């Protein structure tokens, strides 16, 4: 089966600009996750969707970050306006459902550089 | 809150030899999952091995095995017969048992493994 797809792979913007990332999960996977991975650190969960509903967005900086999964399939993560500290790799992952036994499959990530 | 610590930022191993990566975690929970993920330069995170805390038997997956010490809150990864393709960042991760709505996976900072030919 095809894996989790993300685009773009790389993005360079200036601070205060806006940027959007796209994720297409594995077909049939109900749960979708966005992680932020700052250089030298492990990934940190930003938001989790179950179908098109938000399950957990407690670590999402809502003043500048937003995410949606309108039809319960693809998802978009937006940053507006970007700050220097947003430079990171943004990873998307999906799993069949919620719960600990459901393995998360990760996409290749989008590397964002904010100048 | 649960924290995961990987005290070895970098490790190296000779091809065909064995290496052990360390991980400790802090939790007050009795039921949880522990994971080791591999992240090669392509950045795609790949699950290597998983351990349920209620299981006393250490998980194994081919050349990969863990040493799970629940009382010590330690979860090390042993890679036997190391291969060049094992070179990557390795992340230890913790996830609470806590039901359908608790999927917050906590990752350590990672260990970069180099395999020397």
């Amino acid at each position: 089966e095809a894996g989790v797809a993300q685009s773009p792979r790389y993005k360079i913007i200036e601070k205060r600009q806006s940027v959007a990332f796209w994720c297409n999960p594995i077909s049939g996977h109900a749960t979708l996750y966005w992680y932020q991975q700052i250089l030298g650190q492990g990934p940190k969960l930003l938001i989790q969707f179950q179908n098109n509903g938000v399950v957990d967005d407690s670590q999402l900086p809502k003043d500048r970050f937003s995410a949606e999964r309108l039809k319960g399939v693809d998802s978009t993560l937006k940053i507006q306006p970007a700050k220097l500290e947003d430079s990171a790799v943004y990873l998307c992952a999906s799993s069949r459902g919620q719960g600990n036994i459901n393995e998360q499959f990760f996409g290749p990530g989008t590397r964002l550089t904010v100048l | 809150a649960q924290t995961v610590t990987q005290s070895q930022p970098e490790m190296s191993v000779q091809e065909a030899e064995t290496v052990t990566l360390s991980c400790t975690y802090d939790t007050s929970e009795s039921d949880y999952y522990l994971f080791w993920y591999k992240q090669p330069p392509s950045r795609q995170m790949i699950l290597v091995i998983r351990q349920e805390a209620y299981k006393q038997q250490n998980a194994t997956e081919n050349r990969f095995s863990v040493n799970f010490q629940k009382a010590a809150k330690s979860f090390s990864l042993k890679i036997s017969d190391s291969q060049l393709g094992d070179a990557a960042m390795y992340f230890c991760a913790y996830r609470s048992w806590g039901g359908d709505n608790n999927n917050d996976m906590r990752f350590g900072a990672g260990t970069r493994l180099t395999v020397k030919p």
Side-chain angles (χ1 to χ4, degrees):
Chain A
E1 60 183 358
V4 176
Q6 290 187 248
S7 67
R9 291 297 306 274
Y10 303 89
K11 189 72 176 179
I12 301 174
I13 62 173
E14 295 188 350
K15 60 182 179 183
R16 292 188 289 274
Q17 286 187 324
S18 300
V19 65
F21 313 127
W22 173 82
C23 173
N24 185 15
I26 292 173
S27 177
H29 280 195
T31 308
L32 185 146
Y33 313 80
W34 282 102
Y35 289 87
Q36 180 192 57
Q37 185 178 17
I38 294 173
L39 184 65
Q41 298 180 18
K44 182 186 81 172
L45 180 69
L46 292 176
I47 189 168
Q48 176 193 339
F49 291 95
Q50 176 70 12
N51 296 310
N52 61 350
V54 175
V55 174
D56 182 0
D57 63 356
S58 57
Q59 299 186 82
L60 186 74
K62 298 180 185 65
D63 57 333
R64 298 184 300 105
F65 286 65
S66 64
E68 60 184 14
R69 194 184 183 199
L70 293 176
K71 296 182 179 179
V73 181
D74 294 6
S75 178
T76 303
L77 177 69
K78 296 180 182 178
I79 308 175
Q80 179 179 4
K83 293 185 176 181
L84 296 177
E85 58 262 36
D86 298 333
S87 293
V89 174
Y90 291 85
L91 296 169
C92 180
S94 70
S95 66
R96 289 193 178 279
Q98 298 184 91
N100 293 314
I101 63 173
N102 288 291
E103 179 183 346
Q104 292 186 22
F105 294 85
F106 285 81
T110 296
R111 182 181 297 279
L112 173 66
T113 302
V114 182
L115 303 176
Chain B
Q2 297 82 18
T3 58
V4 178
T5 302
Q6 293 180 250
S7 59
Q8 306 155 316
E10 296 184 1
M11 291 284 284
S12 67
V13 63
Q14 205 72 33
E15 193 177 7
E17 294 191 346
T18 297
V19 65
T20 299
L21 308 184
S22 301
C23 173
T24 59
Y25 56 95
D26 185 27
T27 184
S28 58
E29 299 173 335
S30 58
D31 292 322
Y32 47 87
Y33 282 90
L34 295 165
F35 306 84
W36 278 99
Y37 278 90
K38 171 185 177 181
Q39 188 177 41
S42 66
R43 298 200 302 263
Q44 195 122 13
M45 297 275 281
I46 302 164
L47 179 64
V48 174
I49 199 164
R50 174 175 65 197
Q51 175 81 41
E52 293 89 341
Y54 67 86
K55 290 186 177 179
Q56 293 186 341
Q57 186 173 6
N58 289 324
T60 62
E61 286 288 342
N62 301 313
R63 298 182 295 108
F64 299 87
S65 62
V66 298
N67 183 5
F68 173 48
Q69 301 290 327
K70 190 172 184 180
K73 297 179 183 175
S74 171
F75 183 61
S76 61
L77 174 69
K78 185 171 82 171
I79 306 175
S80 304
D81 186 25
S82 297
Q83 301 175 0
L84 295 177
D86 295 334
M89 283 290 290
Y90 285 82
F91 290 96
C92 178
Y94 172 104
R95 173 187 271 182
S96 296
W97 185 271
D100 284 349
N101 289 326
N102 190 343
N103 284 275
D104 188 2
M105 192 175 307
R106 303 295 175 109
F107 287 85
T111 297
R112 182 175 302 280
L113 179 66
T114 302
V115 181
K116 299 177 181 178

